[in-house]
Amino acid sequence: MKKGSMQKSKQWNVKGALRLAGVFNFLHSCGSGCLLPFLTLYFRHLGLNASMIGIIMASKHLLALVWRPFSSVLARQYDKRRTVIVGSLLSSALVVLTLLLFPSSGIQAESGRCNASQPDADPTPLLATLEQTTVPSQSNATVYSVNQTSISTEQPVDVNTNVSLNWSTRGLKSLKNEEDLHTEFLGSLKVMDAQHQMFFLVLIVMALWECMAAPLEWTADDGLYEYLDFVDATDRHSGVKVWKQLGAAFGNCAVGVLVTSLFCLTGASVEFYSYTILMILTVPAAALLPIYLRKRERLTSGGFKALQLVHGNSQAILCAITVVLMGMVSSAVSDFLFWQMQDCGATEIHMGISLALVHLSQTGFAPLSGHLSRFLKYHGWLLVLAVVSLAMQCLYYSFLWSPWSVIPAQLLAGFSTGALWWSITSQSEDIATPGTEKTIFRLFEALFLELGAAFGSLTAGFVVQKFGVMVLFQGAAVLLALWSSALAVLKWKIPRQRRINYSRLLAADTEMSESDTDQEKDWLETAMEDDRGKTSGQWKRLNQQK
């Protein structure tokens, strides 16, 4: 019996489970921080314009909006969470390397960061290097020709002669020499130029990558939460989120230093290889990650219940609109802030450190959030402050003048992001019924990270293409300033409705019962000690009389 009880206590080791979950989240966030923030810079290096990048990023967010919750539900329904997590890590780590196969547009070589005597920083591992040649019959159109040794200058190519050849009749024989490859490439693209071909290739790879990577985060988080719920330790679940911020900050700094140091040798490929290595290193932690295995259950309609609860509360509707709007602006900032910094002469080390400061300041906001919320007397005003802070950030971003000038705004970004998530958590608790708090929070999270981000990326891409990055940030600042004023008035006019949270009352009642029991025990012990003192005093008097 003693041996069995020891095994059982070892099986439900909550502290060990939280440590392992912390390692998992740190490594995974570190890998994501090495690559995801720098993707739009890499797409710019490939020669894609702002509107194309906006479409690619918007498609990524919309795909995650649909596939992430659906895949997490299926993994829970069929008890395949661990398989989904490990498979997602490995497949996403390999698929992302496909982006390195695409040739660059030569922007990197023209940036002046490397001397002409140094090796070309083109990250593509292909044996053949592709170069740009001008097509006289098309204005501003470029095509890629193949040179298996190095980039060289050639005479303009007549596109009519090449397009007239049918690539399908050549088959595999066209791979034998440079001219046939060039003809095959142009023959397969009778309408599209090289830029649009690159756009569709990147779009396909990004969609495939998002399908592989999207299920991981919610699936792992749900497994850990249900494990802690089974052992009555869900209050310790929020402590794991700190490791996500720390991991992302470390990844941003590390890859920034590496890319800047090795840029002339490897280019941006360090970001991709760092992501792949860290995803593979996360696999052992994922294989040991504590996950509660439950029996198959019928699919629940928790998402529809959360939508009904948000729809039935005016303050929650305001919060949802604000979350979507802030998601749009935050996505525009994450997509094109590094463009603005690069135009100011910043390198990856400036970008990595500035981004790490956001995560660190967001982590530091958590201990202050409770005091600030009590000072404001209502978490809704904290949401207004978050909107105002983001508006100030965007206005500041539009006037950057040097690589390090972004630092003050990044520190403010930690406050605005932390205030937003604190307000969302409080709003979710206000309207939740027992067991729906996490689902409502997930709903707001999807509105911010996916739906709002999709609209923001799409809109920002076309705005930058038409007017530039500076106009994008100034327009976002004006929009947020107007909404913050309207939000403050509506928050003041609309009465606050709070649903009774019976789980909280039960927990409070349990604590009060335990304190009452302790008081009763203390009273009883005191009475017994007094009684013992009186009895011993009586016996002493009797002995003295005798």
Side-chain angles (χ1 to χ4, degrees):
M1 294 292 294
K2 188 177 291 185
K3 183 177 180 181
S5 61
M6 289 178 63
Q7 290 177 350
K8 185 176 180 180
S9 62
K10 184 178 180 181
Q11 181 183 0
W12 302 108
N13 184 4
V14 177
K15 291 184 178 179
L18 291 173
R19 291 193 196 101
L20 192 58
V23 172
F24 171 83
N25 283 283
F26 181 87
L27 290 175
H28 178 255
S29 298
C30 186
S32 299
C34 287
L35 179 61
L36 293 181
F38 303 95
L39 274 177
T40 54
L41 273 183
Y42 183 74
F43 295 155
R44 189 186 199 186
H45 165 70
L46 291 180
L48 301 181
N49 58 39
S51 59
M52 291 178 176
I53 293 174
I55 294 173
I56 291 172
M57 300 305 291
S59 302
K60 175 180 178 294
H61 292 303
L62 289 176
L63 184 60
L65 177 67
V66 176
W67 178 235
R68 179 175 287 130
F70 185 67
S71 59
S72 65
V73 170
L74 290 180
R76 179 180 185 270
Q77 179 71 12
Y78 294 100
D79 274 341
K80 297 295 182 181
R81 280 176 172 161
R82 198 178 305 278
T83 303
V84 169
I85 294 170
V86 174
S88 177
L89 287 171
L90 293 176
S91 58
S92 62
L94 297 177
V95 169
V96 74
L97 295 178
T98 310
L99 290 173
L100 291 177
L101 300 175
F102 301 148
S104 66
S105 63
I107 295 175
Q108 184 173 330
E110 298 171 359
S111 63
R113 291 176 64 178
C114 303
N115 296 327
S117 60
Q118 291 178 308
D120 182 28
D122 189 358
T124 176
L126 290 175
L127 295 177
T129 305
L130 291 98
E131 65 177 9
Q132 292 185 18
T133 57
T134 305
V135 181
S137 60
Q138 298 179 12
S139 60
N140 299 326
T142 58
V143 296
Y144 291 90
S145 63
V146 176
N147 186 331
Q148 295 185 359
T149 56
S150 60
I151 295 180
S152 62
T153 305
E154 296 181 355
Q155 297 297 326
V157 179
D158 188 359
V159 71
N160 296 323
T161 303
N162 291 297
V163 172
S164 61
L165 298 175
N166 190 343
W167 67 272
S168 60
T169 60
R170 294 183 175 268
L172 296 176
K173 294 181 180 179
S174 62
L175 298 174
K176 292 182 179 180
N177 53 64
E178 175 182 336
E179 184 179 358
D180 290 344
L181 251 180
H182 192 195
T183 304
E184 179 183 352
F185 182 79
L186 290 177
S188 61
L189 300 174
K190 295 181 179 179
V191 179
M192 291 188 298
D193 58 14
Q195 188 184 42
H196 286 84
Q197 187 233 15
M198 181 71 70
F199 164 69
F200 282 107
L201 288 175
V202 172
L203 183 63
I204 292 171
V205 174
M206 286 297 294
L208 181 60
W209 180 35
E210 189 62 32
C211 287
M212 300 295 104
L216 189 146
E217 190 170 351
W218 281 20
T219 303
D221 189 66
D222 288 343
L224 177 63
Y225 185 85
E226 291 183 9
Y227 175 91
L228 295 175
D229 184 45
F230 183 77
V231 296
D232 296 328
T234 52
D235 55 324
R236 305 180 67 176
H237 179 261
S238 58
V240 179
K241 296 180 180 179
V242 178
W243 293 105
K244 294 183 179 181
Q245 301 294 335
L246 295 178
F250 182 81
N252 297 149
C253 285
V255 81
V257 173
L258 288 175
V259 172
T260 304
S261 303
L262 305 174
F263 186 82
C264 295
L265 295 176
T266 62
S269 60
V270 174
E271 299 164 357
F272 291 84
Y273 291 126
S274 299
Y275 174 86
T276 298
I277 291 172
L278 285 167
M279 291 299 108
I280 294 175
L281 290 177
T282 313
V283 171
L288 300 174
L289 194 67
I291 294 177
Y292 174 63
L293 300 177
R294 58 171 66 242
K295 296 180 180 180
R296 294 186 181 181
E297 300 175 355
R298 295 177 59 187
L299 294 176
T300 58
S301 56
F304 296 104
K305 179 65 175 177
L307 283 172
Q308 290 176 354
L309 292 173
V310 172
H311 183 264
N313 188 286
S314 301
Q315 294 284 352
I317 293 175
L318 279 179
C319 184
I321 296 173
T322 306
V323 163
V324 172
L325 187 61
M326 290 191 70
M328 292 176 62
V329 177
S330 298
S331 177
V333 169
S334 63
D335 287 347
F336 295 104
L337 174 61
F338 286 175
W339 282 36
Q340 179 83 333
M341 293 180 66
Q342 191 178 57
D343 294 339
C344 292
T347 58
E348 284 77 8
I349 191 171
H350 301 101
M351 301 171 189
I353 292 176
S354 66
L355 197 58
L357 288 176
V358 177
H359 297 292
L360 294 178
S361 58
Q362 185 178 344
T363 303
F365 175 80
L368 303 176
S369 55
H371 300 287
L372 186 59
S373 182
R374 284 192 293 270
F375 174 75
L376 296 173
K377 297 182 180 180
Y378 174 40
H379 62 78
W381 300 119
L382 197 58
L383 184 63
V384 177
L385 283 181
V387 178
V388 173
S389 299
L390 186 56
M392 294 172 62
Q393 287 172 234
C394 292
L395 185 62
Y396 187 92
Y397 289 147
S398 65
F399 296 107
L400 294 182
W401 64 92
S402 67
W404 293 114
S405 61
V406 74
I407 298 299
Q410 295 298 83
L411 294 174
L412 186 61
F415 171 81
S416 63
T417 307
L420 173 66
W421 289 117
W422 178 265
S423 182
I424 288 175
T425 302
S426 301
Q427 184 65 65
S428 301
E429 293 173 350
D430 279 357
I431 65 174
T433 57
T436 61
E437 295 93 341
K438 195 166 186 291
T439 307
I440 295 175
F441 181 83
R442 283 275 177 83
L443 175 61
F444 285 120
E445 187 180 40
L447 291 176
F448 178 81
L449 295 177
E450 310 304 346
L451 183 63
F455 290 140
S457 295
L458 188 63
T459 305
F462 287 102
V463 171
V464 172
Q465 182 72 19
K466 183 78 173 176
F467 304 104
V469 181
M470 184 180 295
V471 174
L472 169 68
F473 290 144
Q474 291 174 353
V478 171
L479 179 63
L480 289 175
L482 293 175
W483 176 247
S484 63
S485 303
L487 181 64
V489 173
L490 292 173
K491 286 281 185 184
W492 179 58
K493 290 289 186 180
I494 298 176
R496 183 185 180 190
Q497 302 173 0
R498 293 189 63 181
R499 187 180 297 273
I500 298 176
N501 195 322
Y502 294 99
S503 58
R504 282 184 176 181
L505 292 177
L506 182 60
D509 184 64
T510 304
E511 292 178 359
M512 292 179 62
S513 300
E514 291 177 353
S515 62
D516 293 341
T517 304
D518 293 338
Q519 292 178 1
E520 290 177 359
K521 289 181 179 179
D522 294 340
W523 172 83
L524 183 59
E525 290 175 357
T526 304
M528 291 177 66
E529 289 177 358
D530 293 340
D531 186 64
R532 289 195 195 100
K534 291 179 181 179
T535 304
S536 61
Q538 291 176 357
W539 279 105
K540 287 180 180 179
R541 292 193 200 99
L542 290 174
N543 291 331
Q544 290 175 358
Q545 291 177 359
K546 289 180 180 179

